[in-house]
């Protein structure tokens, strides 16, 4: 709790401690240093005096017994210690063993996927609900793409949605060093992530052609009565008469063509921004949520759900439509785009060598053009910053149009998610609201397992975020001009 982000999470949590109708009745701060934890509590409570009933617990990620003791004293643990590839697994392991619920704010795909591979079965057994990416990575992306796809009212259907992230500030944008360190280590270990994915059982994957086809097809199919593994689900398209899906095979259609690649630097005229593809965790998390949804079309059932929540859950997920999803980092100026591109080039080149990684982590401000520094942002810099996340969706006004050969989207829906500074305001808001859902609705949530936040909190989270300073708006719904007919 005494880390840079952790202090802001404590500040946000104190707003809900023992307030009317809040499920947060007791709170403890955990870390290695009692002195730092006490200072964290004093800072977070300012200008009021620190609450007398907030406990301080000494725990260390290198001391498993201390983590076991910690988990045995609480129902829910919020983990703010990154990089998670270094410090996260011992905490997840302790929670999965004890049955304690767990939330974190990581944006590291390798960590999330490895935790799912290692601890999902154990967590299901013990009743430990383990949910990563509950901060800016990736709550606005998940809730934003779901909000966009829910605007496509039948017979309209989406085909692809692209999110454009714009960071704004009256002063300067400064990120936390741990976020930068996680990005550096993530790029340096991309090979390990690919190796992990190759080692795991095949998951459903997107399949799209120029006419209506399957989005997700699990890889176990029957070929002339025998079960086989199909590494590329596209085989299903070439020989549909040869393959018969097993009963558990999940299929759903994404109408229309594949998402076009487009230029490296895109100018999105409708929102007035230039953009580059952002290799963030958001797209990975959204895909994992959609995979889980394909396996559970009405969402994940709770331990002992109320009839009201069952109806709400099923209505919500029936309104969410699958679509291809990508994320781009956006800027109003071309210079801003070149700065972002420069940071990406530095990280991409230097991450290949141990000395290069040392340089990146030793001099973060230099190699990020001042966007990251070890001291983090000042309180004034945090207050002055904000974000806008535009979701530009393309699709068809009628799903039947998508079945026509060489069809192109004829409809566009633009939505927007806006909020305060991403790392120290939006992230604590998102994490604490997820925590309050766990505390107030545990019977309505899955017994246990490793999941993404969207599939667990989707039906309830958007409303809570809106009540706490993060807005969701429909910007426009537009009919696109039809392409000119081909000339003879």
């Amino acid at each position: 709790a005494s880390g840079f982000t952790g202090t802001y999470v404590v500040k946000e949590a104190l707003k809900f401690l023992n307030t009317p109708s809040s499920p947060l009745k007791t709170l403890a701060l955990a870390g290695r240093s009692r002195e730092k934890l006490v200072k964290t509590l004093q800072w977070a409570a300012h200008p009021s005096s620190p609450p007398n009933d907030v406990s301080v617990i000494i725990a260390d990620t290198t001391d498993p017994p201390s983590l076991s003791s910690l988990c045995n004293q609480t129902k829910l643990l919020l983990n703010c210690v990154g990089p998670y590839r270094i410090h996260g697994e011992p905490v997840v392991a302790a929670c999965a063993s004890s049955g304690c619920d767990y939330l974190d704010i990581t944006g590291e795909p390798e960590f999330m996927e490895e935790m799912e591979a290692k601890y999902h079965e154990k967590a299901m057994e013990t009743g430990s609900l383990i949910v990563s990416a509950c901060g800016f990575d990736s709550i606005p992306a998940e809730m934003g793409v779901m909000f966009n796809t829910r605007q496509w009212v039948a017979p309209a259907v989406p085909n692809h949605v692209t999110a454009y992230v714009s960071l704004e500030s009256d002063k300067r944008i400064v990120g936390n060093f741990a976020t930068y360190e996680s990005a550096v280590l993530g790029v340096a270990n991309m090979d390990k992530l690919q190796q992990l994915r190759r080692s795991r059982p095949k998951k459903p994957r997107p399949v799209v052609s120029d006419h209506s086809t399957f989005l997700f097809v699990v890889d176990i199919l029957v070929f002339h009565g025998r079960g086989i593994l199909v590494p590329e689900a596209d085989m299903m398209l070439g020989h549909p008469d040869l393959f018969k899906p097993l009963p558990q095979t999940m299929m759903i259609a994404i109408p229309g063509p594949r998402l076009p690649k487009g230029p490296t630097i895109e100018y999105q005229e409708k929102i007035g921004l230039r953009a580059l593809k952002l290799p963030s965790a958001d797209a990975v998390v959204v895909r994992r949520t959609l995979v889980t949804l394909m396996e559970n079309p009405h969402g994940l059932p709770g331990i002992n759900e109320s009839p009201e929540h069952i109806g709400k859950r099923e209505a919500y997920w029936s309104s969410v439509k699958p679509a291809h999803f990508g994320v781009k980092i956006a800027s109003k100026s071309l210079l801003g785009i070149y700065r972002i591109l420069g940071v990406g080039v530095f990280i991409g080149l230097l991450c290949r060598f141990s000395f290069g990684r040392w340089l990146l982590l030793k001099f973060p401000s230099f190699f990020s053009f001042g966007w990251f520094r070890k001291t983090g942002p000042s309180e004034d810099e945090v207050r002055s910053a904000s974000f806008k996340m535009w979701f530009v969706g393309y699709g068809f006004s009628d799903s039947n149009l998508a079945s026509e050969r060489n069809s192109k989207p004829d409809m566009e829906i633009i939505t927007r998610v806006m909020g305060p500074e991403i790392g120290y305001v939006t992230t604590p808001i998102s994490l604490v609201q997820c925590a309050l859902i766990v505390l107030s609705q545990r019977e309505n949530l899955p017994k246990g397992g490793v999941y993404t936040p969207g599939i667990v909190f989707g039906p309830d989270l958007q409303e809570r975020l809106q009540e706490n300073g993060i807005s969701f708006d429909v910007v426009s719904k537009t009919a696109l001009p039809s392409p000119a007919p081909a000339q003879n």
Side-chain angles (χ1 to χ4, degrees), residues 244-305:
K244 177 184 177 183
L246 291 174
Q248 69 267 31
T249 299
M250 299 296 165
M251 303 179 190
I252 193 165
I254 276 192
R258 286 187 179 275
L259 178 67
K261 288 186 176 181
T264 301
I265 298 178
E266 173 195 356
Y267 179 64
Q268 176 53 251
E269 185 177 0
K270 293 291 182 69
I271 58 178
L273 296 172
R274 292 176 172 83
L276 283 168
K277 184 177 179 180
L278 180 65
S280 72
D282 291 345
V284 175
V285 173
V286 167
R287 283 196 294 269
R288 288 178 60 207
T289 291
L290 289 177
V291 166
T292 307
L293 181 60
M294 295 310 101
E295 298 167 347
N296 305 270
H298 300 297
L300 297 173
I303 303 170
N304 186 23
E305 280 181 282

Side-chain angles (χ1 to χ4, degrees), residues 224-404:
H224 285 190
R226 295 179 59 193
I228 63 171
L229 290 179
V230 183
E232 296 294 333
D234 304 58
M235 294 175 64
M236 186 90 175
L237 301 176
H239 305 282
D241 54 320
L242 298 181
F243 294 92
K244 177 184 177 183
L246 291 174
Q248 69 267 31
T249 299
M250 299 296 165
M251 303 179 190
I252 193 165
I254 276 192
R258 286 187 179 275
L259 178 67
K261 288 186 176 181
T264 301
I265 298 178
E266 173 195 356
Y267 179 64
Q268 176 53 251
E269 185 177 0
K270 293 291 182 69
I271 58 178
L273 296 172
R274 292 176 172 83
L276 283 168
K277 184 177 179 180
L278 180 65
S280 72
D282 291 345
V284 175
V285 173
V286 167
R287 283 196 294 269
R288 288 178 60 207
T289 291
L290 289 177
V291 166
T292 307
L293 181 60
M294 295 310 101
E295 298 167 347
N296 305 270
H298 300 297
L300 297 173
I303 303 170
N304 186 23
E305 280 181 282
S306 66
E308 293 79 10
H309 191 269
I310 292 174
K312 182 178 182 180
R313 169 172 58 81
E314 293 183 350
Y316 178 85
W317 288 115
S318 66
S319 69
V320 173
K321 302 169 185 66
H324 292 291
F325 179 64
V327 184
K328 295 190 175 185
I329 183 74
S331 174
K332 294 179 180 178
S333 72
L334 192 57
L335 177 60
I337 289 295
Y338 284 135
R339 288 180 68 189
I340 296 167
L341 189 59
V343 174
V345 169
F346 274 141
I347 293 178
L349 292 177
L350 294 177
C351 269
R352 301 177 183 181
F353 316 101
S354 58
F355 180 68
R357 292 191 291 274
W358 179 85
L359 286 174
L360 288 169
L361 297 178
K362 182 70 173 179
F363 306 104
S365 183
F366 175 81
F367 288 107
S368 69
F369 302 112
W371 279 328
F372 293 94
R373 62 185 186 220
K374 290 189 176 181
T375 56
S378 66
E379 291 183 53
D380 285 342
E381 288 168 335
V382 169
R383 281 192 293 266
S384 70
S386 61
F387 81 91
K388 292 178 182 176
M389 202 165 186
W390 307 80
F391 294 81
V392 180
Y394 295 97
F396 299 88
S397 57
D398 190 321
S399 58
N400 292 327
L401 296 174
S403 62
E404 299 175 4

Side-chain angles (χ1 to χ4, degrees), residues 27 46 70 76 80 89 138 145 157 159 163 182 197 222 271 301 317 403 405 416 449 458 462 486:
L27 180 68
H46 184 78
L70 175 64
L76 173 62
C80 300
E89 183 172 357
S138 294
V145 72
V157 289
N159 171 260
S182 295
R197 288 173 174 172
V222 173
I271 58 178
W317 288 115
S403 62
R405 187 171 295 276
R416 182 181 59 206
Q462 180 185 321

Side-chain angles (χ1 to χ4, degrees), residues 110-183:
E110 182 189 350
F111 170 78
M112 289 185 273
E113 294 183 35
E114 187 174 7
M115 295 306 97
E116 181 185 25
K118 287 186 175 181
Y119 298 103
H120 180 68
E121 297 300 327
K122 182 67 174 179
M124 290 184 68
E125 176 187 330
T126 63
S128 171
L129 186 59
I130 296 174
V131 186
S132 288
C134 295
F136 184 77
D137 288 323
S138 294
I139 294 294
E142 283 211 277
M143 302 312 300
V145 72
M146 291 177 194
F147 179 71
N148 186 282
T149 67
R150 295 178 71 202
Q151 309 310 312
W152 296 79
V153 180
V157 289
N159 171 260
H160 61 267
V161 178
T162 301
Y164 298 84
V165 184
S166 174
L167 307 180
E168 302 177 4
S169 177
D170 296 334
K171 296 183 180 292
R172 60 182 301 183
I173 297 170
V174 179
N176 181 13
F177 174 73
T179 302
Y180 172 80
E181 184 182 13
S182 295

